[in-house]
Amino acid sequence: MRKLPDFPWDRLAPAKARAGRHPDGIVDLSVGTPVDSVPAVVQEALRAGSDAPGYPLTHGTPALRAAAVGWMGRRLGVTGVEPVSVLPVIGTKELVAWLPTLLGLGPGDAVAIPAVAYPTYDVGARLAGADTLLTAPEDAPDVIRARRPKLVWLNSPANPHGRVSSAAELRAVVAAAREAGAVVVSDECYIELAWEAAPVSLLHPEVCGGDHAGLLAVHSLSKRSNLAGYRAGFVTGDAAVVAELLEVRKHAGLIMPQPVQDAMTVALGDDAHAAEQKERYRGRRVVLREALEHAGFRIDHSEAGLYLWSTRDEDCWTTVDWLAERGILAAPGDFYGVAGARHVRVALTATDERVAAAADRLAA
């Protein structure tokens, strides 16, 4: 525990209590947790697979791995991925936190992460005893060549700010990482939630030329399919690296439960529910963006993902307090690095009724 920072959301408790005292209740826009129902077709698959007395496969069922390959080709235009290179994980946060350790990194090694980023990238490096290097899209290739990290994290569309990296930016990172001998891992859990840009996968031929060597892509069903409670994700890419991860995970007992594998298989094969959920988020995004801008906020980036990266050009905690007085809870930008200290992250993951309540309070 001495290696780890304080859990950031504990610091938000006073603002949450203040927002909760609003006469009409809190509008919690601080965490990107789904609030809409799990699709019926996925619930049925979970029920149908519930009689599962035996141990599941760490590598996942052939049907699950085939469904993942099919989804990546159909939705992302990714080619060249074989089912053997797909590995289910128990929610992608688990993989993010433990990947440096699973790959054998330790003291003296470095992990490159975005300067404004999901905190668990840094936590994973700390757990392994490795150093963290902060990068920005414009300087990432130079930092990689100069500092030669063993692992490079990318996140596009990015949490918290919704920025989308271009294929050219991704290609530049891949080239630099291959020169440095680093593994590049792209966290793509928001890739189907694009609004004003067209995200591209690290494994797309336009980025990697069809060569997945040294590359991994991480995908989650928490956002597209409302499966945060199921802990359903997968990693794929370089077959040799995935095989190494599989062997370590077999020893460690990191296995997705069989009923969840069955549910995930169905979810990956059904695009209709994901399209419906995206439209729900689109409607909430329009309402919240208009309300925030009317109240004097500026929205930066936010061209994809589930958040509005919002600022009043002041310290993020001052903005958190201003919103809390109106019964609205947002995440302070410094949770994601010092470079985020003048922004707050406003999530789209609230019901239509709560989003409308937030808009009314901002208008008032």
Side-chain angles (χ1 to χ4, degrees):
M1 285 300 297
R2 289 192 299 271
K3 298 179 180 179
L4 302 180
D6 292 336
F7 189 63
W9 267 264
D10 292 344
R11 295 165 52 204
L12 199 56
K16 185 173 184 178
R18 188 179 308 118
R21 291 193 288 270
H22 190 279
D24 187 37
I26 190 172
V27 179
D28 191 344
L29 305 178
S30 66
V31 184
T33 186
V35 297
D36 301 299
S37 294
V38 173
V41 65
V42 179
Q43 292 188 48
E44 179 54 39
L46 186 75
R47 284 191 290 269
S50 61
D51 186 11
Y55 288 111
L57 296 172
T58 306
H59 200 180
T61 65
L64 169 55
R65 289 184 278 117
V69 171
W71 172 77
M72 294 190 73
R74 187 175 69 249
R75 301 295 300 163
L76 309 183
V78 170
T79 59
V81 175
E82 298 294 333
V84 70
S85 300
V86 174
L87 178 60
V89 296
I90 313 163
T92 54
K93 183 173 184 176
E94 166 257 301
L95 182 75
V96 171
W98 291 108
L99 186 60
T101 300
L102 293 173
L103 291 176
L105 274 65
D109 296 325
V111 178
I113 70 172
V116 180
Y118 183 45
T120 311
Y121 305 136
D122 175 57
V123 167
R126 291 173 184 246
L127 286 170
D131 298 323
T132 298
L133 299 177
L134 301 182
T135 64
E138 60 272 14
D139 68 9
D142 292 337
V143 171
I144 292 166
R145 289 188 175 95
R147 302 292 298 277
R148 305 184 75 82
K150 292 289 184 68
L151 180 64
V152 176
W153 276 106
L154 300 175
N155 181 208
S156 176
N159 174 16
H161 50 65
R163 185 185 185 277
V164 173
S165 297
S166 69
E169 288 173 325
L170 296 175
R171 281 196 302 270
V173 170
V174 169
R178 284 175 169 167
E179 290 178 27
V183 174
V184 182
V185 190
S186 181
D187 181 351
E188 300 177 354
C189 70
Y190 300 97
I191 199 164
E192 285 196 284
L193 294 166
W195 315 113
E196 300 164 359
V200 59
S201 174
L202 180 71
L203 302 183
H204 193 283
E206 187 180 356
V207 174
C208 66
D211 180 6
H212 297 163
L215 308 180
L216 297 173
V218 179
H219 291 282
S220 168
L221 276 75
S222 294
K223 314 304 184 184
R224 84 176 288 272
S225 301
N226 299 334
L227 295 191
Y230 284 44
R231 312 312 298 137
F234 69 91
V235 60
T236 189
D238 186 321
V241 177
V242 172
E244 181 177 345
L245 292 173
L246 173 60
E247 290 307 307
V248 177
R249 292 175 71 87
K250 284 180 180 177
H251 285 291
L254 294 170
I255 312 171
M256 179 184 290
Q258 183 62 55
V260 177
Q261 293 191 33
D262 295 341
M264 185 174 168
T265 302
V266 170
L268 286 167
D270 180 68
D271 298 331
H273 77 268
E276 292 173 4
Q277 186 59 46
K278 182 178 179 179
E279 290 308 305
R280 293 187 191 102
Y281 286 135
R282 187 191 304 277
R284 294 165 188 168
R285 181 178 183 271
V286 168
V287 171
L288 281 173
R289 180 163 196 154
E290 289 179 354
L292 286 164
E293 290 177 337
H294 177 79
F297 285 80
R298 185 182 75 244
I299 309 300
D300 292 332
H301 300 306
S302 306
E303 57 256 33
L306 286 182
Y307 312 105
L308 294 169
W309 192 232
S310 310
T311 182
R312 284 158 41 100
D313 288 321
E314 62 189 9
D315 180 81
C316 60
W317 285 96
T318 301
T319 308
V320 166
D321 289 341
W322 186 91
L323 289 167
E325 290 172 2
R326 290 150 181 82
I328 301 168
L329 189 66
D334 67 2
F335 278 9
Y336 309 94
V338 295
R342 297 185 73 82
H343 286 77
V344 296
R345 192 192 74 169
V346 178
L348 309 181
T349 49
T351 65
D352 292 345
E353 183 274 331
R354 288 288 85 188
V355 167
D360 289 343
R361 296 174 194 182
L362 289 166

